[in-house]
Amino acid sequence: MANAGQLHMLYTCPFCWKVRGLLEHLDIPHERIQVNPMRTKKTLPSAPEWNKVPVWVDSNNEVHVDSTPIMKHIDSIHNGGKLWSSDDEERRDKWMDWVDLHMSKATIPILYGSLGSALKTTTRVSKLEKFGFFSKRLYAWAGFPVMWGIIAKKRVKKDGRTPKKLWHDLLSEFTNQFDGSMFFGGKTPDLVDLAAFGYVRSISPYPQFSQIEDHEAGMNWYRAVEATLKV
Ligand SMILES: N[C@@H](CCC(=O)N[C@@H](CS)C(=O)NCC(=O)O)C(=O)O
């Protein structure tokens, strides 16, 4: 089958993991273009209006931006909108907003919240992303004090909980919504499950993921969503 589109992405970007998970869940053939994090303004097809990843370019060369709208678009074109349809739209909308608000903010504290974890994360990011020769080295050394000392520290302090506790609370709050079902969407995952799954999965390449693996209900859900992917 021909490619349904191109996903312009960064490997380590949580918003890109959301769209990747959906494409793998629906088994949609596509091309992945890993952009140079220092050159998004020059190379993204949505630039200069939109300089963030992910960007989805469909087979008609239409450009789509912003991860949740991209997910809704892909579901509607390639899956008859089944993952977004719901008999309780209020609950669905409320929790999609909740996932995008809270889970998106929780990735930085766990990855960069302590000096050791920030160093591990930036070294790993510099290897996983397609930086240029010099920016790779620059990021590995200059990135971690910025991410740890400025961005993550402020967030952890503001929240007051350890990053692990924050994730455990989020996973409890989310899975408590399932009302005894396996997924937020009931017997099968829906778009809210896949969005939340993307945020959690974006932490999986790092050693800090073991702090999340301690959450039993969260992991049962995570592994069940993972089992639906055609990777
Ligand atoms: N709301 C956007 C957020 C995307 C986003 O912030 N992506 C980051 C990478 S994780 C980015 O491209 N940042 C570059 C910038 O803000 O210039 C989405 O859900 O797609």
Side-chain angles (χ1 to χ4, degrees), residues 21-101:
L22 171 66
L23 290 163
E24 287 165 2
H25 176 76
L26 294 176
D27 202 13
I28 295 175
H30 62 282
E31 185 188 353
R32 287 180 184 172
I33 299 177
Q34 212 179 326
V35 302
N36 178 334
M38 302 293 176
R39 291 176 52 83
T40 51
K41 282 193 180 71
K42 294 223 171 72
T43 54
L44 282 179
S46 52
E49 287 81 18
W50 183 272
N51 297 321
K52 297 176 184 180
V53 287
V55 173
W56 173 251
V57 182
D58 67 22
S59 50
N60 301 322
N61 270 330
E62 262 174 46
V63 177
H64 300 268
V65 299
D66 209 1
S67 54
T68 295
I70 293 174
M71 291 177 84
K72 290 179 191 170
H73 171 78
I74 292 174
D75 176 50
S76 119
I77 298 290
H78 298 283
N79 189 41
K82 286 199 277 292
L83 292 171
W84 189 237
S85 82
S86 164
D87 20 348
D88 189 345
E89 294 182 354
E90 205 181 312
R91 170 180 180 263
R92 173 200 70 184
D93 292 350
K94 179 182 160 208
W95 282 90
M96 187 59 126
D97 288 349
W98 181 91
V99 165
D100 274 337
L101 183 67

Side-chain angles (χ1 to χ4, degrees), residues 161-175:
R161 289 170 284 185
T162 63
K164 175 173 175 168
K165 174 84 170 79
L166 168 62
W167 267 106
H168 280 225
D169 287 353
L170 290 175
L171 287 169
S172 297
E173 207 177 329
F174 184 59
T175 52

Side-chain angles (χ1 to χ4, degrees), residues 118-165:
L119 186 55
K120 270 188 217 138
T121 304
T122 37
T123 310
R124 188 128 179 75
V125 169
S126 77
K127 290 196 178 116
L128 289 167
E129 298 295 0
K130 288 197 168 151
F131 283 101
F133 182 80
F134 290 108
S135 54
K136 187 192 210 79
R137 281 146 187 86
L138 184 71
Y139 184 82
W141 290 103
F144 96 88
V146 175
M147 293 306 290
W148 165 70
I150 303 171
I151 304 171
K153 241 183 175 174
K154 225 187 258 169
R155 272 198 205 175
V156 174
K157 198 172 161 202
K158 195 169 161 208
D159 187 80
R161 289 170 284 185
T162 63
K164 175 173 175 168
K165 174 84 170 79

